[in-house]
Amino acid sequence: MGSAVSFRGQSGKAWSFQRAAADAPWARSPGVAIFAIPEACGWRVFRVIELSGKPHDIQPIWALAEAERYGASAVFVALEFDAPVRKQIVADLEAGFRPIVSSGVRTGQVIRLAA
């Protein structure tokens, strides 16, 4: 994994993430991933997802493929083994950043972009 980066959600708490290569095995561990698009003054958060860490969970890979289609070139990962804490991180970051695609943690709905 790469350098440490902090993202602050709506609560103001700084969540620590590590930048990971898109082709690294980052989806194999439980935690939270952020897919981001580079901008002039930082990152535009495309999507925040929970990583289950289950060996056959393909949702993170599909989410990365979708993010890459819309220009996301960075993956940031925070390892977290406690599922309720993962959900809390995702909800806090989504509330603070209003990503382009929502995971639906707060509303129970997923917003999809047209291809």
Side-chain angles (χ1 to χ4, degrees), residues 53-92:
K54 295 178 182 172
H56 301 294
D57 185 2
I58 61 168
Q59 294 305 313
I61 304 309
W62 282 107
L64 173 62
E66 179 183 37
E68 288 177 332
R69 280 192 4 229
Y70 292 97
S73 60
V75 178
F76 297 95
V77 178
L79 298 180
E80 178 55 60
F81 293 93
D82 189 4
V85 174
R86 290 194 304 261
K87 290 180 185 349
Q88 175 191 3
I89 294 169
V90 170
D92 186 36

Short mmCIF file of all heavy atoms in Angstrom, two decimals, residues 53-92:
data_model
loop_
_atom_site.label_atom_id
_atom_site.label_comp_id
_atom_site.label_asym_id
_atom_site.label_seq_id
_atom_site.Cartn_x
_atom_site.Cartn_y
_atom_site.Cartn_z
N GLY A 53 -14.25 -8.41 2.65
CA GLY A 53 -13.07 -9.25 2.85
C GLY A 53 -13.32 -10.70 2.51
O GLY A 53 -12.43 -11.54 2.65
N LYS A 54 -14.51 -11.02 2.03
CA LYS A 54 -14.82 -12.41 1.66
C LYS A 54 -14.12 -12.74 0.35
O LYS A 54 -14.08 -11.91 -0.57
CB LYS A 54 -16.33 -12.60 1.52
CG LYS A 54 -17.04 -12.42 2.84
CD LYS A 54 -18.53 -12.57 2.69
CE LYS A 54 -19.20 -12.34 4.04
NZ LYS A 54 -20.64 -12.28 3.92
N PRO A 55 -13.58 -13.94 0.21
CA PRO A 55 -12.76 -14.28 -0.96
C PRO A 55 -13.47 -14.18 -2.30
O PRO A 55 -12.84 -13.88 -3.30
CB PRO A 55 -12.31 -15.71 -0.71
CG PRO A 55 -12.85 -16.12 0.59
CD PRO A 55 -13.66 -15.01 1.17
N HIS A 56 -14.76 -14.40 -2.35
CA HIS A 56 -15.46 -14.41 -3.64
C HIS A 56 -16.38 -13.21 -3.83
O HIS A 56 -17.26 -13.24 -4.67
CB HIS A 56 -16.23 -15.72 -3.82
CG HIS A 56 -15.34 -16.92 -3.76
ND1 HIS A 56 -14.38 -17.18 -4.72
CD2 HIS A 56 -15.21 -17.91 -2.84
CE1 HIS A 56 -13.73 -18.28 -4.41
NE2 HIS A 56 -14.21 -18.74 -3.27
N ASP A 57 -16.16 -12.14 -3.05
CA ASP A 57 -16.98 -10.94 -3.18
C ASP A 57 -16.46 -10.13 -4.37
O ASP A 57 -15.37 -9.55 -4.32
CB ASP A 57 -16.89 -10.11 -1.90
CG ASP A 57 -17.82 -8.89 -1.92
OD1 ASP A 57 -18.55 -8.71 -2.92
OD2 ASP A 57 -17.80 -8.14 -0.93
N ILE A 58 -17.24 -10.09 -5.43
CA ILE A 58 -16.81 -9.37 -6.64
C ILE A 58 -17.34 -7.94 -6.70
O ILE A 58 -16.98 -7.19 -7.60
CB ILE A 58 -17.22 -10.13 -7.92
CG1 ILE A 58 -18.74 -10.27 -7.99
CG2 ILE A 58 -16.54 -11.47 -8.00
CD1 ILE A 58 -19.25 -10.75 -9.33
N GLN A 59 -18.16 -7.54 -5.74
CA GLN A 59 -18.73 -6.19 -5.75
C GLN A 59 -17.65 -5.10 -5.78
O GLN A 59 -17.80 -4.13 -6.53
CB GLN A 59 -19.67 -6.00 -4.56
CG GLN A 59 -20.92 -6.86 -4.63
CD GLN A 59 -21.70 -6.65 -5.92
OE1 GLN A 59 -21.94 -5.53 -6.34
NE2 GLN A 59 -22.08 -7.74 -6.55
N PRO A 60 -16.57 -5.21 -4.99
CA PRO A 60 -15.54 -4.16 -5.06
C PRO A 60 -14.89 -4.03 -6.44
O PRO A 60 -14.60 -2.93 -6.89
CB PRO A 60 -14.51 -4.58 -4.01
CG PRO A 60 -15.25 -5.45 -3.08
CD PRO A 60 -16.28 -6.16 -3.91
N ILE A 61 -14.71 -5.14 -7.13
CA ILE A 61 -14.08 -5.11 -8.45
C ILE A 61 -15.02 -4.47 -9.46
O ILE A 61 -14.60 -3.66 -10.30
CB ILE A 61 -13.66 -6.53 -8.89
CG1 ILE A 61 -12.73 -7.17 -7.84
CG2 ILE A 61 -13.03 -6.51 -10.26
CD1 ILE A 61 -11.53 -6.33 -7.43
N TRP A 62 -16.32 -4.78 -9.37
CA TRP A 62 -17.29 -4.15 -10.26
C TRP A 62 -17.39 -2.65 -9.96
O TRP A 62 -17.51 -1.83 -10.87
CB TRP A 62 -18.66 -4.81 -10.12
CG TRP A 62 -18.74 -6.11 -10.86
CD1 TRP A 62 -18.75 -7.35 -10.30
CD2 TRP A 62 -18.79 -6.30 -12.27
NE1 TRP A 62 -18.80 -8.30 -11.28
CE2 TRP A 62 -18.83 -7.69 -12.51
CE3 TRP A 62 -18.79 -5.44 -13.35
CZ2 TRP A 62 -18.88 -8.23 -13.78
CZ3 TRP A 62 -18.85 -5.98 -14.63
CH2 TRP A 62 -18.89 -7.36 -14.83
N ALA A 63 -17.34 -2.29 -8.68
CA ALA A 63 -17.40 -0.87 -8.31
C ALA A 63 -16.18 -0.13 -8.85
O ALA A 63 -16.30 1.00 -9.33
CB ALA A 63 -17.48 -0.74 -6.79
N LEU A 64 -15.01 -0.76 -8.79
CA LEU A 64 -13.80 -0.14 -9.35
C LEU A 64 -13.93 0.03 -10.85
O LEU A 64 -13.60 1.10 -11.39
CB LEU A 64 -12.56 -0.98 -9.03
CG LEU A 64 -11.26 -0.53 -9.70
CD1 LEU A 64 -10.88 0.88 -9.26
CD2 LEU A 64 -10.15 -1.52 -9.44
N ALA A 65 -14.43 -0.97 -11.54
CA ALA A 65 -14.58 -0.88 -13.00
C ALA A 65 -15.52 0.28 -13.36
O ALA A 65 -15.25 1.04 -14.29
CB ALA A 65 -15.12 -2.19 -13.56
N GLU A 66 -16.62 0.42 -12.63
CA GLU A 66 -17.55 1.52 -12.87
C GLU A 66 -16.87 2.86 -12.60
O GLU A 66 -16.99 3.80 -13.39
CB GLU A 66 -18.78 1.37 -11.98
CG GLU A 66 -19.78 2.48 -12.16
CD GLU A 66 -20.96 2.35 -11.22
OE1 GLU A 66 -20.78 1.93 -10.06
OE2 GLU A 66 -22.06 2.68 -11.66
N ALA A 67 -16.13 2.95 -11.51
CA ALA A 67 -15.44 4.20 -11.17
C ALA A 67 -14.42 4.58 -12.23
O ALA A 67 -14.32 5.75 -12.61
CB ALA A 67 -14.77 4.05 -9.80
N GLU A 68 -13.70 3.61 -12.73
CA GLU A 68 -12.69 3.87 -13.76
C GLU A 68 -13.35 4.38 -15.05
O GLU A 68 -12.78 5.23 -15.74
CB GLU A 68 -11.85 2.63 -14.04
CG GLU A 68 -10.89 2.32 -12.91
CD GLU A 68 -10.09 1.05 -13.12
OE1 GLU A 68 -10.58 0.12 -13.82
OE2 GLU A 68 -8.98 0.96 -12.58
N ARG A 69 -14.54 3.88 -15.36
CA ARG A 69 -15.25 4.36 -16.55
C ARG A 69 -15.55 5.85 -16.48
O ARG A 69 -15.65 6.53 -17.49
CB ARG A 69 -16.58 3.61 -16.72
CG ARG A 69 -16.42 2.26 -17.34
CD ARG A 69 -17.73 1.61 -17.76
NE ARG A 69 -18.93 2.37 -17.61
CZ ARG A 69 -20.05 1.94 -17.04
NH1 ARG A 69 -20.10 0.73 -16.55
NH2 ARG A 69 -21.12 2.69 -16.97
N TYR A 70 -15.70 6.37 -15.26
CA TYR A 70 -16.02 7.78 -15.08
C TYR A 70 -14.81 8.62 -14.66
O TYR A 70 -14.97 9.75 -14.22
CB TYR A 70 -17.17 7.93 -14.07
CG TYR A 70 -18.46 7.39 -14.64
CD1 TYR A 70 -18.89 6.11 -14.34
CD2 TYR A 70 -19.21 8.16 -15.52
CE1 TYR A 70 -20.06 5.61 -14.88
CE2 TYR A 70 -20.39 7.66 -16.07
CZ TYR A 70 -20.80 6.38 -15.75
OH TYR A 70 -21.95 5.88 -16.30
N GLY A 71 -13.61 8.06 -14.80
CA GLY A 71 -12.40 8.84 -14.58
C GLY A 71 -11.69 8.65 -13.27
O GLY A 71 -10.66 9.29 -13.02
N ALA A 72 -12.19 7.80 -12.39
CA ALA A 72 -11.50 7.57 -11.12
C ALA A 72 -10.22 6.76 -11.37
O ALA A 72 -10.25 5.75 -12.07
CB ALA A 72 -12.40 6.82 -10.14
N SER A 73 -9.12 7.24 -10.84
CA SER A 73 -7.86 6.55 -11.04
C SER A 73 -7.15 6.25 -9.72
O SER A 73 -6.05 5.73 -9.72
CB SER A 73 -6.94 7.38 -11.93
OG SER A 73 -6.68 8.64 -11.33
N ALA A 74 -7.79 6.57 -8.61
CA ALA A 74 -7.17 6.34 -7.30
C ALA A 74 -8.07 5.47 -6.43
O ALA A 74 -9.28 5.63 -6.41
CB ALA A 74 -6.90 7.67 -6.61
N VAL A 75 -7.42 4.55 -5.72
CA VAL A 75 -8.10 3.69 -4.75
C VAL A 75 -7.46 3.95 -3.39
O VAL A 75 -6.24 3.87 -3.25
CB VAL A 75 -7.95 2.19 -5.11
CG1 VAL A 75 -8.63 1.32 -4.06
CG2 VAL A 75 -8.49 1.91 -6.49
N PHE A 76 -8.28 4.29 -2.41
CA PHE A 76 -7.81 4.48 -1.04
C PHE A 76 -8.52 3.45 -0.17
O PHE A 76 -9.73 3.25 -0.29
CB PHE A 76 -8.15 5.89 -0.55
CG PHE A 76 -7.47 6.97 -1.34
CD1 PHE A 76 -8.12 7.60 -2.38
CD2 PHE A 76 -6.17 7.35 -1.04
CE1 PHE A 76 -7.50 8.60 -3.12
CE2 PHE A 76 -5.54 8.35 -1.77
CZ PHE A 76 -6.20 8.98 -2.81
N VAL A 77 -7.76 2.78 0.71
CA VAL A 77 -8.31 1.69 1.51
C VAL A 77 -8.00 1.90 2.99
O VAL A 77 -6.87 2.27 3.35
CB VAL A 77 -7.71 0.33 1.06
CG1 VAL A 77 -8.24 -0.80 1.92
CG2 VAL A 77 -8.02 0.07 -0.40
N ALA A 78 -9.01 1.66 3.83
CA ALA A 78 -8.85 1.66 5.29
C ALA A 78 -9.26 0.28 5.77
O ALA A 78 -10.39 -0.14 5.52
CB ALA A 78 -9.70 2.73 5.94
N LEU A 79 -8.37 -0.43 6.42
CA LEU A 79 -8.71 -1.75 6.95
C LEU A 79 -9.56 -1.59 8.20
O LEU A 79 -9.25 -0.77 9.07
CB LEU A 79 -7.44 -2.54 7.27
CG LEU A 79 -6.53 -2.82 6.09
CD1 LEU A 79 -5.30 -3.61 6.54
CD2 LEU A 79 -7.26 -3.56 4.99
N GLU A 80 -10.63 -2.37 8.30
CA GLU A 80 -11.51 -2.34 9.47
C GLU A 80 -12.22 -3.68 9.54
O GLU A 80 -12.95 -4.06 8.62
CB GLU A 80 -12.53 -1.21 9.37
CG GLU A 80 -13.51 -1.14 10.52
CD GLU A 80 -12.85 -1.06 11.89
OE1 GLU A 80 -12.10 -0.10 12.13
OE2 GLU A 80 -13.07 -1.99 12.70
N PHE A 81 -12.04 -4.41 10.65
CA PHE A 81 -12.61 -5.74 10.78
C PHE A 81 -14.02 -5.73 11.35
O PHE A 81 -14.76 -6.69 11.19
CB PHE A 81 -11.69 -6.63 11.63
CG PHE A 81 -10.39 -6.92 10.94
CD1 PHE A 81 -9.28 -6.11 11.14
CD2 PHE A 81 -10.28 -7.97 10.04
CE1 PHE A 81 -8.09 -6.36 10.48
CE2 PHE A 81 -9.10 -8.24 9.37
CZ PHE A 81 -8.00 -7.43 9.59
N ASP A 82 -14.42 -4.67 12.01
CA ASP A 82 -15.73 -4.57 12.65
C ASP A 82 -16.76 -4.04 11.65
O ASP A 82 -16.69 -2.87 11.22
CB ASP A 82 -15.62 -3.65 13.86
CG ASP A 82 -16.85 -3.64 14.73
OD1 ASP A 82 -17.80 -4.40 14.45
OD2 ASP A 82 -16.88 -2.85 15.69
N ALA A 83 -17.74 -4.87 11.28
CA ALA A 83 -18.73 -4.49 10.26
C ALA A 83 -19.53 -3.24 10.63
O ALA A 83 -19.73 -2.38 9.77
CB ALA A 83 -19.67 -5.67 9.96
N PRO A 84 -20.02 -3.09 11.87
CA PRO A 84 -20.75 -1.86 12.20
C PRO A 84 -19.88 -0.60 12.06
O PRO A 84 -20.37 0.46 11.64
CB PRO A 84 -21.19 -2.07 13.66
CG PRO A 84 -21.24 -3.55 13.82
CD PRO A 84 -20.13 -4.08 12.96
N VAL A 85 -18.60 -0.71 12.37
CA VAL A 85 -17.70 0.44 12.21
C VAL A 85 -17.51 0.75 10.72
O VAL A 85 -17.49 1.92 10.32
CB VAL A 85 -16.35 0.20 12.91
CG1 VAL A 85 -15.36 1.32 12.61
CG2 VAL A 85 -16.54 0.05 14.41
N ARG A 86 -17.40 -0.28 9.88
CA ARG A 86 -17.29 -0.06 8.43
C ARG A 86 -18.50 0.71 7.92
O ARG A 86 -18.36 1.66 7.15
CB ARG A 86 -17.16 -1.40 7.68
CG ARG A 86 -15.85 -2.10 7.90
CD ARG A 86 -15.62 -3.21 6.90
NE ARG A 86 -16.65 -4.21 6.85
CZ ARG A 86 -16.60 -5.39 7.45
NH1 ARG A 86 -15.56 -5.73 8.20
NH2 ARG A 86 -17.59 -6.26 7.31
N LYS A 87 -19.67 0.29 8.33
CA LYS A 87 -20.90 0.98 7.90
C LYS A 87 -20.91 2.43 8.39
O LYS A 87 -21.34 3.33 7.67
CB LYS A 87 -22.13 0.22 8.39
CG LYS A 87 -22.33 -1.11 7.66
CD LYS A 87 -23.54 -1.82 8.16
CE LYS A 87 -23.75 -3.19 7.59
NZ LYS A 87 -22.99 -3.65 6.49
N GLN A 88 -20.43 2.67 9.61
CA GLN A 88 -20.36 4.01 10.16
C GLN A 88 -19.40 4.88 9.33
O GLN A 88 -19.71 6.04 9.03
CB GLN A 88 -19.89 3.97 11.61
CG GLN A 88 -19.67 5.33 12.22
CD GLN A 88 -18.96 5.27 13.56
OE1 GLN A 88 -18.57 4.21 14.04
NE2 GLN A 88 -18.77 6.43 14.17
N ILE A 89 -18.25 4.33 8.95
CA ILE A 89 -17.27 5.08 8.15
C ILE A 89 -17.89 5.45 6.80
O ILE A 89 -17.80 6.61 6.37
CB ILE A 89 -15.98 4.26 7.95
CG1 ILE A 89 -15.26 4.05 9.29
CG2 ILE A 89 -15.05 4.94 6.95
CD1 ILE A 89 -14.12 3.04 9.23
N VAL A 90 -18.51 4.48 6.14
CA VAL A 90 -19.12 4.73 4.83
C VAL A 90 -20.18 5.82 4.94
O VAL A 90 -20.21 6.77 4.16
CB VAL A 90 -19.72 3.44 4.22
CG1 VAL A 90 -20.56 3.74 3.00
CG2 VAL A 90 -18.61 2.45 3.87
N ALA A 91 -21.07 5.71 5.92
CA ALA A 91 -22.14 6.69 6.09
C ALA A 91 -21.58 8.09 6.39
O ALA A 91 -22.05 9.08 5.83
CB ALA A 91 -23.09 6.25 7.20
N ASP A 92 -20.57 8.16 7.24
CA ASP A 92 -19.97 9.45 7.59
C ASP A 92 -19.31 10.10 6.39
O ASP A 92 -19.51 11.30 6.12
CB ASP A 92 -18.96 9.26 8.72
CG ASP A 92 -18.40 10.58 9.24
OD1 ASP A 92 -19.14 11.58 9.29
OD2 ASP A 92 -17.20 10.60 9.60
#
